[in-house]
Amino acid sequence: QVQLVESGGGSVQAGGSLRLSCAASGLHYNWHCMGWFRQAPGKGREGVASIDGDGRTSYADSAKGRFTISQDNTKKILYLQMNSLMPEDTAMYYCALSPGYTPIDQRLSENQYRSWGQGIQVTVSS
């Protein structure tokens, strides 16, 4: 059974940085795609960034130029480096795994993902 555990969240002032990590366990195959999603209070969950086994990345427009997704395949850890944080980045952040092929144009769609972490809070104050 796949387990995903996020860490690295917290509170930061606008303009600051945070790095989220997601440790994966129980993996017995090469997953196709992993992603970061977020959900702000009163809003739906939205895709932030994804990365596949070949290192190809996809970003939401809101994340481009500020966030960087990366992975350590040996340690099975997914990262999200977030710079120039803004109050609108405040949300619960989740990592997720898609076990099969995921078309590029659907890699930020939550219904492509089957395993989810419990989420971690990121709060950005102005």
Side-chain angles (χ1 to χ4, degrees):
Q1 184 176 353
V2 174
Q3 286 191 320
L4 304 173
V5 180
E6 301 96 338
S7 61
S11 298
V12 66
Q13 288 193 324
S17 298
L18 283 173
R19 188 175 82 156
L20 304 183
S21 300
C22 173
S25 61
L27 291 170
H28 301 291
Y29 49 83
N30 290 324
W31 60 92
H32 182 77
C33 197
M34 290 193 76
W36 287 99
F37 291 76
R38 68 185 183 186
Q39 186 167 20
K43 295 187 177 181
R45 190 153 54 184
E46 63 172 348
V48 176
S50 71
I51 187 168
D52 69 14
D54 294 324
R56 286 173 294 212
T57 58
S58 299
Y59 292 94
D61 287 343
S62 59
K64 288 177 182 176
R66 300 189 300 126
F67 294 2
T68 302
I69 189 171
S70 61
Q71 62 190 355
D72 182 326
N73 286 333
T74 301
K75 296 181 180 179
K76 292 184 171 60
I77 300 177
L78 180 72
Y79 300 101
L80 184 68
Q81 177 67 45
M82 303 186 293
N83 299 327
S84 302
L85 283 161
M86 302 182 293
E88 47 264 49
D89 294 316
T90 295
M92 187 73 79
Y93 284 71
Y94 301 87
C95 72
L97 180 148
S98 171
Y101 173 73
T102 306
I104 291 176
D105 62 349
Q106 296 180 38
R107 291 183 180 181
L108 297 181
S109 175
E110 64 175 314
N111 60 17
Q112 296 294 324
Y113 292 79
R114 295 293 177 263
S115 299
W116 293 84
Q118 81 287 354
I120 194 160
Q121 181 67 37
V122 170
T123 302
V124 185
S125 58
S126 57

